[in-house]
Amino acid sequence: MKKMTLDNLKKFRDEMHIPITDAALEADPYQPPFYHPGEDDEAIQYMQERRRELGGYVPERRTKHTHIELPEAKTYDVVKKGSGKQEIATTMAFARLLKDLLRDKSIGNRIVPIIPDEARTFGMDAYFPTAKIYNPAGQHYTSVDREQLLAYKESPQGQIVHVGINEAGAFAAFTAVGTSYATHGEPLIPVYVFYSMFGFQRTGDAMWAAGDQMARGFIMGATAGRTTLTGEGLQHADGHSLLLASTNPAVVSYDAAYGYELGHIVRDGIERMYGGKHEDPNVMYYLTLYNEPLVQPAEPENFDVEGALKGIYHLSSATITGPKAQLLASGVAVPWALEAQQLLASDWGVAADVWSVTSWTELRRDGLAAEEFNFLNPNEEPRVPYVTTKLAEAKGPFVALTDFMHAVPDQIRAFVPGDFATLGADDFGFSDTRAAARRFFKIDSHSMVVRTLQSLVKRGEMDPAVLAHAIEKYSLHDVNAGTTGSAGGES
Amino acid sequence: MTVNDQDPYSVTNTDKDPEETAEWNESLDSLVAAQGHERGREIMLSLLKRSKDLHLGVPMVPTTDYINTIAKEDEPDFPGDEKLERRYRAWIRWNAAITVHRAQRPGVGVGGHISTYASSAALYEVGHNHFFRGADHESGGDQIFYQGHASPGMYARAFLEGRMSEDQLKGFRQEKSQAPNGISSYPHPRLMPEFWQFPTVSMGLGPINAIYQAQNNKYISNRGIKDVSDKQVWAFLGDGEMDEVESRGALQWAANENLDNLNFVINCNLQRLDGPVRGNGKIIQELESFFRGAGWNVIKVVWGREWDDLLANDHEGALRDLMNRTPDGDYQTYKAESGAYVRENFFGRDPRTLKMVEHLSDDVCGTSSAVATTTARFTRHSRPRTSTRGNRLSFSRRRSRAMAWARASRAATRPIR
């Protein structure tokens, strides 16, 4: 019954014993009066008394919560100094950072790692012995791995919420934990770590609802990238979670290349969501993590923290003079761009700079906000998108590279001040070596070199003949000629 | 015909020796008469155990009859002033309906649902008047997942409570154009951050989120962050919604985690948008079986007090049998048809039941209390009763609209499945 006629209204009024006259209903059958007998009415008094007795009105949402001290900057130091000569993936770098955060006196016990299996893949079994796995019943069996250093330890006081192979449940747990600041007045920091393919793609609707519920916390898309989770193939190769993440207005997403970037992003996230000072703390941070081992560089001197947090910073300058080009890359693709920079210099005399784009999506959101401001405020000083300002002095064509589909870097196309080309992996993934997969999708270092040369040719800055030469030199059509990426890594 | 009433070990249910069977039944009857329900239960449990030892293959029957779980004689008196509560429940229903009706007027036409709240008003009101605890309660307050489409009812109540204005009711579903008085279509904390706690209108997410909310309450308490172990989580759901995989996919989790702080209330109106939830089957029976199998305690409330006399006089179990065999699709039809139709097609299926209603007129069969419980138009005649026994609610059934109250419980300590 969605629409009521005048007769329906009268009959319903009689059934509900509402003291409203026929005349009042006839006056405007589309807008009948509401009924309230006044607060002194016996029934209303009774109703109020029932609620007083039961502790106040429902539903009601409160957000007053316990204040928590945030960790000092040095708590995040472990990822600053790099990994020395050891090759570790960003997943492992994050696991080390989280280990230190779990030990932090102020927030350590408020961090809730949530894992739908694969903790061991992500190096998070390191917390099993100390943080333990939450189980209200404890552990009433003799664990098969009890002799192991990182044995499976369950406890009613366990900190890790391990939901089994169950992403829907894991995200429901994330939502409850991430809204504890409101539901219970106790802020908790959920850190949900999972195969990135099974995040936004599988539980996107739950993530949307969590945004509605104003959950706060970290969503960690491990084994990210279309070609980085080598061997696992089509169903596991994530080349689009960043794009899906961009559709959720409550999600702030980053595609970090190195541990030190992660350190600043995590710190910024904790301060924004839990520091009590940001005007919009009701967000979730989505961070991609990769499983490809590489030497994690130490944080550069004079590191552009602001740039990294806003979405882009200058990572490496050309060391030669020649035609200029700008290489933009994110995540696991940043080292490929650095290799392309070297090849462009040594093979073609091109002087390329490399930029690490930590968040294509945040740059786009900033750009759109600037456009809208200018659209609605013609008399004001026009705003310039952050990325436009950042790249204003950069010379030469821009070429963007990620281990995601083209649409991810294409998000900033409108705001790049110059020729802009993107490389991406748009098709279903498949199982193969990283090098072969990257060559197949033409997202490896050599592909970036050739794409850059093409942009320079188009601008008239290089001889068109170099293109065929370069394709031949690198055997660009041969997947077996690809060399970008190492083997190994947990999956 | 009942769903899940199967016996996998026998092809036929024919009784080879009805006389001998009757003797066994009489023995049980006299035992219960002499020593009470508890002793009868003990003997039955003991016999069931023995039947397992003897490998008789007695099937586990996960469903009970299609009647109320809590017998009439076990129901305590209503703890409040039923008359007053009914009075303002009608006001809430009026204001909820008018809220939607006004939002439907030409030139606005933003829609809204009336019947979801209309069909569940009694449930919510018993909760609001007697069960749901607010944030100032010493427990810290309960977490209630309201069925999204019932939102106008909650607004209408807030209006009577004086915490929502008439202008806000007028701003239903016009959040920007009636700002600052616009109120949201469904429960959306982001849009009404001081009112709604839980977004529920993506079907299936309410139930699974409620389960993990209950787990979170235990987790926080167990870890010593805050003692919230006395809070209860309530999820109000529809029978159609229970077909979402998220609705049922984590039920075992609730049992394994021993979430005795979790309550699902499933309002089974037998109806989806497009048709019956289970035309050929019985959704209440299916859910009973499913939840019980997953380790939950299930309380069914199927029939209103208007049926008490008929059921009390059902000495041969003919009416009960009829109730058990009638598929949901037929119940829906009875709801829409006349009393004469109900007499002929429901009671008339068995001469014994036909006789049971011979003293009632067709008019009574169709419109008044005795038989009216099969028809939707008698919603307002229903009278809720609550039972606090075992900290659970029970309502008199309101016609074909029935509720299965399921509560997570410790499966291991429940001797009978």
Side-chain angles (χ1 to χ4, degrees):
Chain A
M1 182 175 65
K2 275 195 167 182
K3 291 188 177 163
M4 290 191 285
T5 63
L6 186 57
D7 281 347
N8 292 151
L9 278 171
K10 289 179 178 173
K11 192 158 168 281
F12 184 52
R13 173 205 57 193
D14 294 341
E15 289 166 1
M16 297 295 113
H17 306 289
I18 306 296
I20 290 175
T21 61
D22 279 1
L25 294 179
E26 284 157 7
D28 183 355
Y30 288 118
Q31 301 190 69
F34 293 104
Y35 178 67
H36 196 305
E39 58 187 55
D40 294 333
D41 181 273
E42 178 194 14
I44 298 293
Q45 290 282 319
Y46 172 93
M47 180 174 89
Q48 299 283 25
E49 176 51 32
R50 292 309 309 147
R51 287 319 310 165
R52 265 194 295 277
E53 177 79 17
L54 287 162
Y57 298 120
V58 288
E60 185 195 8
R61 180 174 178 275
R62 297 185 185 181
T63 52
K64 190 167 178 286
H65 59 74
T66 307
H67 173 74
I68 53 174
E69 292 296 324
L70 298 189
E72 295 169 35
K74 67 174 167 47
T75 312
Y76 303 85
D77 276 355
V78 64
V79 286
K80 262 192 175 179
K81 51 184 186 279
S83 61
K85 287 181 182 162
Q86 194 190 4
E87 291 193 335
I88 65 165
T90 49
T91 304
M92 187 58 65
F94 177 75
R96 290 179 181 178
L97 173 62
L98 186 59
K99 191 173 190 191
D100 283 1
L101 288 170
L102 283 165
R103 278 201 287 245
D104 183 76
K105 280 196 196 70
S106 52
I107 64 163
N109 74 332
R110 291 182 179 271
I111 294 173
V112 183
I114 301 169
I115 305 170
D117 219 28
E118 303 273 7
R120 296 194 193 275
T121 304
F122 306 139
M124 294 184 173
D125 48 355
Y127 322 138
F128 286 179
T130 46
K132 299 190 179 63
I133 293 151
Y134 174 73
N135 188 325
Q139 190 166 30
H140 299 293
Y141 58 92
T142 308
S143 170
V144 66
D145 60 359
R146 64 194 179 283
E147 306 291 342
Q148 304 289 318
L149 181 64
L150 303 180
Y152 200 81
K153 285 260 173 57
E154 300 185 84
S155 158
Q157 283 77 46
Q159 189 162 2
I160 301 164
V161 173
H162 199 306
V163 295
I165 304 171
N166 170 15
E167 282 85 9
F171 210 80
F174 175 94
T175 304
V177 173
T179 53
S180 174
Y181 73 91
T183 314
H184 300 307
E186 293 293 339
L188 296 176
I189 307 173
V191 179
Y192 168 37
V193 192
F194 55 97
Y195 262 53
S196 65
M197 194 67 163
F198 308 119
F200 284 89
Q201 168 152 304
R202 185 164 190 143
T203 62
D205 194 32
M207 290 156 150
W208 184 264
D212 186 347
Q213 203 175 325
M214 292 181 280
R216 303 173 187 171
F218 291 94
I219 305 170
M220 311 298 297
T223 61
R226 185 78 88 202
T227 65
T228 303
L229 182 57
T230 182
E232 289 293 308
L234 183 151
Q235 184 60 62
H236 292 69
D238 165 32
H240 50 286
S241 68
L242 286 166
L243 199 63
L244 297 177
S246 77
T247 65
N248 188 323
V251 171
V252 179
S253 60
Y254 286 97
D255 188 24
Y258 300 120
Y260 67 83
E261 292 179 5
L262 277 172
H264 286 280
I265 292 164
V266 169
R267 185 181 173 199
D268 179 61
I270 287 177
E271 287 181 355
R272 174 167 178 179
M273 295 184 282
Y274 300 94
K277 295 194 179 102
H278 199 282
E279 61 181 13
D280 181 17
N282 297 320
V283 293
M284 301 171 277
Y285 273 54
Y286 177 59
L287 275 55
T288 50
L289 298 173
Y290 295 88
N291 76 333
E292 182 167 352
L294 51 103
V295 170
Q296 296 290 329
E299 182 175 309
E301 284 191 34
N302 304 317
F303 175 52
D304 177 9
V305 177
E306 184 196 274
L309 296 178
K310 290 198 169 195
I312 185 169
Y313 71 96
H314 184 264
L315 179 66
S316 172
S317 298
T319 52
I320 63 163
T321 53
K324 292 287 295 178
Q326 306 297 326
L327 309 182
L328 278 54
S330 70
V332 75
V334 169
W336 319 343
L338 289 169
E339 189 190 355
Q341 177 192 39
Q342 288 179 8
L343 292 168
L344 280 165
S346 59
D347 294 356
W348 312 98
V350 172
D353 289 352
V354 176
W355 302 74
S356 176
V357 182
T358 48
S359 181
W360 306 96
T361 303
E362 286 303 290
L363 292 178
R364 175 175 178 77
R365 286 175 176 173
D366 170 78
L368 289 177
E371 274 191 346
E372 173 151 326
F373 178 86
N374 299 341
F375 157 48
L376 296 172
N377 299 279
N379 298 326
E380 301 281 329
E381 177 80 15
R383 284 188 195 165
V384 182
Y386 184 78
V387 64
T388 311
T389 308
K390 208 73 177 166
L391 298 176
E393 305 296 319
K395 303 275 193 303
F398 299 89
V399 180
L401 178 67
T402 74
D403 199 14
F404 282 78
M405 59 196 300
H406 285 84
V408 172
D410 272 342
Q411 289 183 94
I412 66 164
R413 183 173 287 276
F415 313 113
V416 175
D419 299 323
F420 187 56
T422 54
L423 297 166
D426 284 28
D427 211 337
F428 287 113
F430 50 87
S431 42
D432 212 316
T433 64
R434 292 188 178 114
R438 287 162 187 171
R439 174 55 61 87
F440 175 84
F441 282 117
K442 306 294 181 287
I443 56 172
D444 62 330
S445 305
H446 300 93
S447 298
M448 189 178 213
V449 169
V450 178
R451 192 71 183 83
T452 307
L453 294 176
Q454 190 196 19
S455 292
L456 287 164
V457 166
K458 197 176 160 198
R459 290 158 65 99
E461 293 171 25
M462 288 196 77
D463 178 354
V466 300
L467 294 178
H469 179 201
I471 288 172
E472 191 188 357
K473 175 180 171 68
Y474 297 139
S475 303
L476 208 64
H477 294 294
D478 180 2
V479 294
N480 290 311
T483 59
T484 297
S486 65
E490 301 295 325
S491 63
Chain B
M1 190 229 66
T2 58
V3 177
N4 293 316
D5 198 15
Q6 71 276 46
D7 177 351
Y9 299 100
S10 63
V11 181
T12 163
N13 285 328
T14 312
D15 190 337
K16 291 191 192 67
D17 189 348
E19 207 171 311
E20 187 183 38
T21 308
E23 284 172 20
W24 281 89
N25 282 332
E26 279 164 28
S27 301
L28 183 62
D29 289 348
S30 49
L31 174 80
V32 173
Q35 301 189 50
H37 281 83
E38 279 300 306
R39 182 60 189 148
R41 192 163 171 277
E42 282 168 18
I43 293 292
M44 283 307 300
L45 284 173
S46 168
L47 286 175
L48 277 173
K49 182 176 181 302
R50 191 75 194 127
S51 78
K52 284 179 197 159
D53 296 341
L54 296 171
H55 295 272
L56 296 186
V58 176
M60 189 190 84
V61 183
T63 53
T64 58
D65 282 330
Y66 198 64
I67 57 169
N68 299 350
T69 302
I70 297 174
K72 179 175 177 269
E73 53 270 28
D74 292 334
E75 290 183 332
D77 291 337
F78 190 82
D81 186 329
E82 200 173 349
K83 206 171 137 208
L84 278 183
E85 290 183 24
R86 285 162 59 96
R87 191 186 300 164
Y88 61 79
R89 189 168 87 222
W91 298 342
I92 296 173
R93 282 198 52 198
W94 171 264
N95 289 327
I98 297 306
T99 298
V100 176
H101 177 71
R102 294 177 71 111
Q104 288 283 33
R105 70 185 183 275
V108 179
V110 289
H113 299 265
I114 293 175
S115 51
T116 302
Y117 181 70
S119 74
S120 53
L123 282 171
Y124 282 114
E125 277 309 289
V126 171
H128 283 135
N129 290 321
H130 301 284
F131 285 86
F132 307 153
R133 295 164 305 175
D136 293 328
H137 189 271
E138 59 188 351
S139 64
D142 296 330
Q143 282 83 53
I144 304 149
F145 290 71
Y146 291 94
Q147 203 178 353
H149 298 82
S151 61
M154 311 316 139
Y155 296 145
R157 180 173 237 273
F159 169 66
L160 286 187
E161 289 168 342
R163 61 191 187 113
M164 195 167 267
S165 70
E166 188 170 318
D167 283 343
Q168 284 179 290
L169 296 190
K170 289 177 184 168
F172 178 61
R173 292 191 170 211
Q174 298 150 74
E175 300 179 76
K176 301 295 182 195
S177 61
Q178 296 299 316
N181 293 314
I183 54 176
S184 66
S185 50
Y186 299 119
H188 293 302
R190 187 165 284 272
L191 301 175
M192 293 176 66
E194 291 170 4
F195 194 81
W196 296 115
Q197 273 190 302
F198 304 106
T200 50
V201 87
S202 182
M203 303 269 120
L205 294 185
I208 193 169
N209 279 355
I211 289 171
Y212 284 87
Q213 182 62 55
Q215 189 215 11
N216 182 247
N217 292 7
K218 295 278 187 184
Y219 172 92
I220 285 181
S221 304
N222 277 330
R223 287 200 52 222
I225 290 170
K226 186 177 191 176
D227 183 4
V228 296
S229 56
D230 191 32
K231 296 185 178 188
Q232 289 284 321
V233 176
W234 295 86
F236 281 76
L237 313 167
D239 48 355
E241 177 176 15
M242 294 312 292
D243 282 338
E244 294 281 4
V245 287
E246 291 92 340
S247 300
R248 301 198 203 185
L251 296 181
Q252 82 292 349
W253 181 269
N256 291 345
E257 296 269 314
N258 189 20
L259 301 180
D260 56 5
N261 55 345
L262 176 64
N263 310 272
F264 277 15
V265 182
I266 305 171
N267 182 10
C268 300
N269 67 357
L270 314 183
Q271 181 73 33
R272 284 182 283 110
L273 273 178
D274 289 348
V277 176
R278 294 287 183 276
N280 290 323
K282 290 168 88 69
I283 186 64
I284 293 176
Q285 300 298 86
E286 177 186 324
L287 292 173
E288 177 186 27
S289 161
F290 204 97
F291 275 79
R292 190 164 285 135
W296 289 53
N297 186 21
V298 178
I299 299 173
K300 290 193 296 188
V301 187
V302 191
W303 306 101
R305 61 179 66 157
E306 303 87 352
W307 287 81
D308 287 349
D309 288 344
L310 281 175
L311 281 165
N313 292 318
D314 182 29
H315 304 300
E316 293 177 38
L319 178 57
R320 188 183 295 213
D321 193 45
L322 204 55
M323 289 168 166
N324 286 343
R325 287 169 186 277
T326 302
D328 286 356
D330 279 340
Y331 278 116
Q332 276 194 299
T333 301
Y334 301 152
K335 196 156 79 172
E337 291 289 345
S338 68
Y341 185 96
V342 173
R343 182 194 300 277
E344 183 186 341
N345 293 281
F346 179 67
F347 294 106
R349 286 186 184 182
D350 185 319
R352 293 170 298 175
T353 50
L354 193 58
K355 194 169 167 49
M356 288 169 72
V357 292
E358 66 183 359
H359 64 290
L360 302 173
S361 68
D362 274 357
D363 193 40
V364 170
C365 278
T367 62
S368 83
S369 61
V371 189
T373 48
T374 56
T375 76
R377 74 191 84 145
F378 304 108
T379 309
R380 63 188 179 277
H381 295 312
S382 67
R383 298 148 85 186
R385 286 173 285 197
T386 62
S387 155
T388 53
R389 203 177 68 141
N391 195 25
R392 277 165 236 133
L393 277 173
S394 138
F395 294 88
S396 66
R397 172 199 140 150
R398 301 151 344 79
R399 300 126 297 93
S400 65
R401 216 166 261 109
M403 293 71 68
W405 289 80
R407 191 153 191 270
S409 71
R410 202 178 315 195
T413 62
R414 296 281 151 187
I416 288 189
R417 282 286 179 88

